[in-house]
Amino acid sequence: MGTQRKALRTTAVGAVSATMVAGALGFAPTAQAAINSVRFVDITGDGGTVLKANVITPAGADGSRRYPLLVMPTSWGLPQVEYVAQAQKLANSGYVVVSYNVRGFWQSGGEIEVAGPPDTADASKVIDWALANTPADAGRIGMAGVSYGAGISLLTSAHDERVKAVAALSGWADLIDSIYSGRTQHVQAGALLDGASVVTGRQSAELRQIFDNFYASNLSKEQDMINWGKKRSVATYVDQLNKNGTAVMMANAWGDTVFPPNQYADFYEKLTGPKRLAFRPGDHATAELTGLFGLPNDVWNDTERWFDHHLKGEANGIDRELPVQLKSRSTGGYEGYPDWKSVAATHRKIALGGTTTIRTNVNSGADGGIVFLSSILDQVAQLPPMASIPLLPRRWAAVWQSEKYPTAQRVRGTAKLHTTVTPTEESGTLVAYLYDVGPLGLGKLVSNAPYTFHGRTPGRPFGVDLELFSTAYDVPAGHRLALVVDTVDPLYIEHNPSGARLTFSSPANDPSYVSIPLREQ
């Protein structure tokens, strides 16, 4: 089986590499500019692990001058030519670019460490190699990457003070808050990562055990998993990163089903150095995808401008722009804010009155869709997951609605649910959904989030506070907002024993509500 997987990886790397190189050199606009030669090299990483890499230097580089260096670790499951189109573009504008396949994937050695200490040590070794073997300037070093490459870039910048600027695209700051938010396994996201790593890489025994415990809901190993994830989260090292003064740019998609936007926004607020945060419509890594083939792309344009200012010292104005840039899922333009807290100027509460009991174990018809597919449809056609709110079976779904809004409501930021739950069992899962409901009752998904509890006393009420995934969505005039709560969603693992029920109430001394964040009207 191991030989078969190795052969499959070898065949696949050739196919993927050919496709991406063809896009970069044959069809992309960058082909009109100078084409710099790509040099494929082996770099010795931490502990002697061989990392497969490629190097592109500015045309005409003859050793008489030094250039800023960009190191780009690859995404989860993608080969070392992933960034060749952007690397060509960056080399044309005066950068030495070294892209490398992270350990455990494709033709690089070692096993998958999931951005563990060996991965950050590898990145530092790549920097060492570039300084010794290319005309790179030791005082002007940046890192960039998509997804896995973004996470490794952020972590390395916290551990290696030589990194002066970072562009982290569709990455994570808190790994546990990404795939285990609300104490709930994001099973489709986990399975996607698991499957890709089996085909394109070599899982360590530790990673295999993490996945197995994750799927099995092994609570005896929950703290071990949390500790494992915290070690691989730059949020754990934010003080070191701030001390280094690294200029950090982060970009993500509203509908990212692997690394939801909340954890990036929370981390952004903790940064004290130069910083920029951008959210756009789409799912995981889809906002920057076209740029990987050399096509015009806002994310990559911002990335180059970020490095031009912080590594070249160019006065291109990016430092004077409002640092939080959002693109609504409903409109085409960008909105600028001075910080994340300013995104929502006001909050409007929808009361969740009365007492409602629902049964568990059945999908009511309200759900978050399918990993990748649903948010991509929203990105390209503004077609998020939908549900007929009047037809949702109240046996399995609790539903509350606002009044019709006389004017458009521009939802911006993080909606928050507060309610009181009384379970019939000690464990359970609920999923909250916020819908934009039109005149015919058809609801378009605005946001959602799961919540799981364990160790509760059956029959005893307890409070629930849940942040839904951050978003930017315009509710048209004449529409309503609806909050729906059920217990089953294909995106998540549920923890409801057979036959369990959940009762939602709104005590007079602690009323239930959902708080809607709104941009200034």
Side-chain angles (χ1 to χ4, degrees):
M1 181 63 71
T3 302
Q4 291 176 346
R5 281 203 299 266
K6 183 176 180 181
L8 177 61
R9 283 196 299 271
T10 302
T11 302
V13 73
V16 175
S17 298
T19 300
M20 301 192 79
V21 169
L25 304 184
F27 302 103
T30 53
Q32 300 172 7
I35 298 300
N36 306 290
S37 61
V38 180
R39 182 160 58 104
F40 292 90
V41 299
D42 289 350
I43 297 176
T44 302
D46 185 55
T49 299
V50 175
L51 306 173
K52 296 295 183 177
N54 58 66
V55 183
I56 304 180
T57 55
D62 57 7
S64 63
R65 57 171 292 194
R66 294 285 169 177
Y67 301 88
L69 167 67
L70 292 180
V71 172
M72 305 177 74
T74 52
S75 301
W76 187 273
L78 288 186
Q80 69 191 77
V81 295
E82 174 185 6
Y83 305 116
V84 68
Q86 288 301 319
Q88 287 282 358
K89 188 171 182 289
L90 290 163
N92 284 337
S93 63
Y95 292 92
V96 172
V97 185
V98 180
S99 172
Y100 70 97
N101 243 128
V102 292
R103 66 170 53 222
F105 282 102
W106 297 96
Q107 305 306 307
S108 286
E111 296 178 327
I112 301 169
E113 295 287 344
V114 195
D119 285 308
T120 55
D122 282 347
S124 291
K125 292 286 188 180
V126 172
I127 293 173
D128 293 342
W129 182 93
L131 294 177
N133 294 277
T134 73
D137 186 342
R140 296 184 291 168
I141 298 173
M143 290 191 67
V146 176
S147 185
Y148 195 37
I152 291 175
S153 294
L154 281 172
L155 283 159
T156 303
S157 68
H159 290 92
D160 192 328
E161 62 184 8
R162 294 176 298 177
V163 180
K164 304 302 182 185
V166 169
L169 316 179
S170 290
W172 77 92
D174 189 324
L175 190 57
I176 295 301
D177 198 35
S178 295
I179 62 172
Y180 194 57
S181 72
R183 211 178 176 187
T184 309
Q185 296 96 324
H186 296 208
V187 66
Q188 285 191 15
L192 184 71
L193 296 172
D194 187 4
S197 65
V198 168
V199 173
T200 64
R202 296 168 299 280
Q203 294 183 353
S204 66
E206 180 186 40
L207 176 58
R208 185 66 260 159
Q209 192 62 57
I210 288 291
F211 273 125
D212 290 344
N213 290 337
F214 179 83
Y215 298 135
S217 305
N218 189 344
L219 291 179
S220 68
K221 298 295 184 180
E222 181 183 39
Q223 192 57 51
D224 291 343
M225 182 183 72
I226 291 172
N227 293 341
W228 175 88
K230 293 300 182 185
K231 184 185 296 185
R232 291 158 170 80
S233 300
V234 71
T236 303
Y237 313 102
V238 65
D239 290 342
Q240 292 175 229
L241 185 58
N242 286 334
K243 182 180 178 182
N244 291 344
T246 311
V248 177
M249 181 187 119
M250 299 185 296
N252 205 351
W254 292 120
D256 195 320
T257 45
V258 180
F259 303 129
N262 298 45
Q263 45 91 34
Y264 248 16
D266 291 344
F267 179 69
Y268 175 84
E269 289 292 273
K270 299 174 184 175
L271 293 173
T272 59
K275 57 184 180 178
R276 184 180 177 91
L277 178 68
F279 288 131
R280 299 170 174 87
D283 205 314
H284 185 62
T286 63
E288 48 274 272
L289 180 62
T290 57
L292 294 178
F293 294 93
L295 299 172
N297 184 277
D298 290 353
V299 185
W300 287 103
N301 287 344
D302 284 352
T303 296
E304 184 170 355
R305 293 175 63 225
W306 188 251
F307 288 129
D308 284 349
H309 178 72
H310 290 286
L311 297 183
K312 290 183 178 179
E314 291 187 5
N316 56 18
I318 196 168
D319 58 317
R320 298 190 299 274
E321 297 173 0
L322 291 172
V324 176
Q325 293 286 318
L326 310 182
K327 193 174 187 179
S328 169
R329 293 162 51 199
S330 308
T331 59
Y334 285 93
E335 303 166 0
Y337 301 87
D339 51 42
W340 177 250
K341 295 188 293 291
S342 301
V343 169
T346 61
H347 290 78
R348 177 173 294 172
K349 290 183 178 180
I350 300 173
L352 311 179
T355 299
T356 303
T357 298
I358 61 173
R359 292 165 174 81
T360 63
N361 312 121
V362 173
N363 186 341
S364 70
D367 63 52
I370 302 172
V371 64
F372 276 125
L373 178 61
S374 296
S375 291
I376 291 175
L377 283 174
D378 187 37
Q379 178 183 1
V380 301
Q382 294 187 5
L383 290 174
M386 300 182 188
S388 175
I389 304 305
L391 296 182
L392 290 175
R394 273 34 177 192
R395 182 183 182 91
W396 293 295
V399 180
W400 298 267
Q401 295 191 71
S402 71
E403 299 297 323
K404 289 183 179 179
Y405 294 113
T407 60
Q409 305 294 296
R410 294 182 288 184
V411 179
R412 299 290 187 273
T414 309
K416 299 179 181 180
L417 167 66
H418 174 74
T419 190
T420 295
V421 176
T422 304
T424 59
E425 303 289 342
E426 62 91 22
S427 292
T429 296
L430 60 92
V431 185
Y433 309 89
L434 187 66
Y435 283 99
D436 160 25
V437 184
L440 299 180
L442 183 64
K444 294 183 176 181
L445 188 65
V446 177
S447 185
N448 78 100
Y451 179 92
T452 293
F453 60 88
H454 297 288
R456 293 291 179 177
T457 302
R460 179 177 295 178
F462 63 93
V464 170
D465 289 287
L466 176 62
E467 290 190 349
L468 277 63
F469 299 135
S470 304
T471 194
Y473 183 98
D474 296 347
V475 179
H479 285 211
R480 308 172 187 264
L481 281 171
L483 183 82
V484 177
V485 179
D486 71 2
T487 63
V488 176
D489 190 304
L491 289 173
Y492 314 114
I493 288 180
E494 65 153 321
H495 298 265
N496 297 295
S498 180
R501 300 185 184 188
L502 300 177
T503 297
F504 300 91
S505 58
S506 184
N509 63 343
D510 187 19
S512 296
Y513 61 86
V514 59
S515 176
I516 308 298
L518 299 173
R519 184 185 177 192
E520 186 175 352
Q521 301 299 300

